[in-house]
Amino acid sequence: MIRVLILAFFCLLSSASSIRATTIPAANCLQPVVQAAVLLAVVADTVTIPAGNCTWSTPVTVSKGVTLQGAGQDVTVINASGTDFLLISGNGGAFRLTGMGFTGNITNGAIQADGRFSSFRMDHLKFTNLTGRSVIIGYNNTPTANPAIFGLIDHITYTNNACFPFGLHHGKDVEAWTGNDNWGTNQAVYIEDSTFTWNVSAAQLGECTLWDQEHGGRAVIRHNTIKNGTIQGHDTGSTQQSRGLRIKEMYSNTFICNLVGGTSNCGYSAMDFRGGSYLVYDNSIPLCVGGCTSGPAGWENANSTEIWRVSGTPGASEPWNFKCTSGTPLPIASDFRSHCNASPFPACGLNERVGQACSASTCPGGGCGTCVNNPTNVPAGVTVLSRIDGTGAGNYPCRDQVGRGIDSADHTTQALTPAYWWNNTDANGGNAQIMKLNVAPGETTYIQANRDVYLANTSFNGTAGVGRGPLSARPNTCTPLVGYWATDTNTLYTCTSTDTWSAYYKAFAYPHPLQTGTSAPAPPRNLRVTVQ
């Protein structure tokens, strides 16, 4: 009987996790007071920060899974005086930041999160006129054993009177490019139900941008309003020692162009295709005409491509010494880093060659010995490649270019994982379908329709592009890799072999489960049972 009661007691506690958690109230919103409350909290506790307008000159550091909860994004407002706000280092628990506003002069990234989390959420926050990125996730995870950070960013109100980017996500190079695509799963950073506004007279591509990714980052950007801004990514080689983005889903977003001063040109493109694979659909993007010299206001193109190593000029000013078109490079590690002969494999710059001494500027920490590329001196899962690109025309495919996915086991080749684009409409053109990908002239060898990218096709017959309609209208015959969006099942089907359709993608639950509180409860903690 006693054992039955004990088991019942455990079940009761595990089903009522909210009762176990403790609330630690900070007396005010001053940085030392908030920091002291965070230090008192343990995993699963909530630190409440009351209404107030406080200036911080030092960030608050968090090293556990807790909730930081303000009294509201307009009433708990923190102003930065030359500092970032939160440096978060997850230790495996759940983290949430909610109900606060941030403004002021920051140094790097207002909210920085590294480590590991069972869940991660930032919601109901306001960012106003910050002088740098508002959110940086996983920047310090890249050289560590921690996995990529996934989670939810929702109900954000972002406003800036200058072109500063909102967020950056660093994934994990090895796991990102050897793991499955995982379309339509929780294996991404989700940005949803938010409004991002840049009150500027001229938008700048890459600066007035909502979300950027590197090192195999995965993102889903959905159900947002984006005013005068863009969605960007980084391709492999555009940042030193960094592979590009891996996966991006972008759907049900509304782009609005209303630049200060009434000018018409919101920029070259609303979305930047810079490597990896994409699913892009149901977005509204106003396009302008005639070079945007007059109304209606909009973007010159809905999208554009860039392969940095094709369009850039290798040399002292570039992070890579070779282009995709330049033939076989010297050996390089498959995580695209040189490695020094010192533990734990600090990275040298890609401009450095075998046998060259690393310097403090190119190998963080300094004193790291000689830069080498050999199989005995690289981390687990990393191999050394004699070449990184393909053997087709112009060395097609360029490593990690648009339309490329999973690495082969030896990292020498990559799976063809095309981008799919359908039902994106021109808000200035009567919501007409946008059926063009704007490919840079020097990249037409590498990015081609019906190979690397499949675009909306209103005359779809199963041979090219992406069709759309009820499942019953899907053609019986098909050419491999073409796509069809079934409007009645909300499923993307692709042709996996001649005349054979297979389900390829279905969107992850919306709203994200972290919004609705359907994630699993935390296990009991600080539990003691005494049997007499």
Side-chain angles (χ1 to χ4, degrees):
M1 183 64 179
I2 291 177
R3 289 186 178 182
V4 173
L5 290 173
I6 292 172
L7 289 173
F9 185 47
F10 268 100
C11 292
L12 177 62
L13 287 173
S14 62
S15 65
S17 58
S18 61
I19 297 174
R20 298 191 308 275
T22 299
T23 297
I24 310 292
N28 56 54
C29 61
L30 293 174
Q31 189 276 343
V33 176
V34 175
Q35 183 68 79
V38 169
L39 291 174
L40 285 175
V42 297
V43 173
D45 283 350
T46 296
V47 174
T48 58
I49 306 169
N53 194 317
C54 293
T55 297
W56 291 4
S57 58
T58 304
V60 166
T61 59
V62 183
S63 59
K64 64 200 79 171
V66 296
T67 293
L68 301 183
Q69 181 176 321
Q73 63 180 19
D74 293 309
V75 294
T76 301
V77 179
I78 311 300
N79 180 75
S81 178
T83 186
D84 299 321
F85 295 110
L86 291 169
L87 304 180
I88 306 158
S89 178
N91 64 352
F95 177 82
R96 183 183 180 191
L97 173 67
T98 184
M100 297 180 68
F102 301 96
T103 187
N105 178 27
I106 63 174
T107 57
N108 185 27
I111 314 296
Q112 300 175 45
D114 295 290
R116 61 177 66 226
F117 303 87
S118 59
S119 70
F120 182 90
R121 184 185 181 193
M122 296 173 52
D123 62 283
H124 297 87
L125 304 172
K126 178 179 282 189
F127 298 90
T128 306
N129 290 329
L130 293 178
T131 58
R133 291 189 191 274
S134 299
V135 179
I136 299 177
I137 295 177
Y139 184 86
N140 294 311
N141 269 19
T142 303
T144 70
N146 288 319
I149 298 170
F150 302 134
L152 174 64
I153 300 173
D154 66 285
H155 293 90
I156 303 299
T157 302
Y158 176 89
T159 305
N160 209 311
N161 294 335
C163 270
F164 287 102
F166 171 72
L168 170 66
H169 179 221
H170 278 214
K172 296 286 290 187
D173 289 325
V174 174
E175 70 179 40
W177 296 96
T178 56
N180 294 329
D181 298 329
N182 290 325
W183 297 112
T185 71
N186 65 353
Q187 301 297 291
V189 172
Y190 279 72
I191 303 99
E192 65 187 36
D193 296 330
S194 298
T195 299
F196 301 89
T197 302
W198 286 266
N199 292 320
V200 295
S201 58
Q204 300 174 30
L205 180 64
E207 299 300 329
C208 288
T209 187
L210 164 54
W211 199 250
D212 198 354
Q213 297 158 257
E214 295 185 89
H215 290 284
R218 299 167 180 259
V220 179
I221 302 171
R222 60 183 185 176
H223 300 279
N224 302 290
T225 298
I226 304 159
K227 298 179 181 180
N228 307 329
T230 65
I231 300 176
Q232 192 194 26
H234 266 78
D235 55 322
T236 291
S238 58
T239 300
Q240 196 165 4
Q241 305 183 53
S242 172
R243 296 188 75 169
L245 70 90
R246 173 71 169 87
I247 290 293
K248 184 169 281 181
E249 300 173 35
M250 299 181 282
Y251 57 92
S252 300
N253 299 292
T254 299
F255 288 79
I256 297 173
C257 179
N258 61 352
L259 291 168
V260 174
T263 53
S264 299
N265 193 338
C266 254
Y268 186 66
S269 64
M271 297 180 180
D272 204 0
F273 281 37
R274 290 188 63 176
S277 299
Y278 298 78
L279 297 176
V280 187
Y281 61 99
D282 290 354
N283 298 287
S284 174
I285 306 170
L287 302 180
C288 56
V289 294
C292 295
T293 55
S294 61
W299 281 265
E300 296 176 34
N301 301 282
N303 50 56
S304 63
T305 67
E306 183 173 6
I307 303 176
W308 189 268
R309 293 192 299 116
V310 172
S311 60
T313 303
S317 62
E318 299 292 334
W320 289 66
N321 280 325
F322 50 88
K323 289 187 177 184
C324 185
T325 57
S326 65
T328 303
L330 291 173
I332 190 169
S334 60
D335 61 350
F336 289 64
R337 293 169 174 243
S338 298
H339 293 278
C340 301
N341 58 0
S343 178
F345 311 109
C348 284
L350 284 170
N351 283 329
E352 304 198 15
R353 294 306 191 195
V354 174
Q356 181 177 352
C358 299
S359 67
S361 62
T362 57
C363 193
C368 52
T370 301
C371 191
V372 296
N373 277 308
N374 63 67
T376 64
N377 200 47
V378 294
V382 176
T383 59
V384 173
L385 308 174
S386 60
R387 64 180 299 120
I388 64 172
D389 298 308
T391 57
N395 288 338
Y396 170 84
C398 287
R399 178 66 57 151
D400 302 341
Q401 70 157 70
V402 172
R404 288 291 153 173
I406 301 172
D407 284 0
S408 61
D410 61 3
H411 301 289
T412 57
T413 60
Q414 291 183 282
L416 175 59
T417 309
Y420 291 91
W421 168 286
W422 71 96
N423 200 43
N424 299 289
T425 57
D426 178 6
N428 287 338
N431 294 321
Q433 289 277 323
I434 300 171
M435 296 183 289
K436 177 185 177 182
L437 177 67
N438 192 66
V439 179
E443 298 174 8
T444 54
T445 297
Y446 306 97
I447 302 174
Q448 297 181 4
N450 300 310
R451 184 190 67 184
D452 310 288
V453 179
Y454 286 78
L455 302 169
N457 185 348
T458 56
S459 302
F460 185 75
N461 62 9
T463 62
V466 182
R468 177 176 172 270
L471 184 59
S472 60
R474 188 183 66 189
N476 292 324
T477 60
C478 62
T479 301
L481 294 179
V482 301
Y484 185 86
W485 177 255
T487 54
D488 48 353
T489 64
N490 292 320
T491 302
L492 178 66
Y493 294 85
T494 59
C495 190
T496 51
S497 60
T498 302
D499 301 338
T500 301
W501 292 100
S502 298
Y504 184 75
Y505 162 78
K506 194 176 183 69
F508 187 59
Y510 174 79
H512 192 287
L514 288 176
Q515 279 204 53
T516 58
T518 56
S519 57
R525 63 174 179 80
N526 298 332
L527 178 64
R528 296 181 180 179
V529 177
T530 301
V531 180
Q532 298 293 336

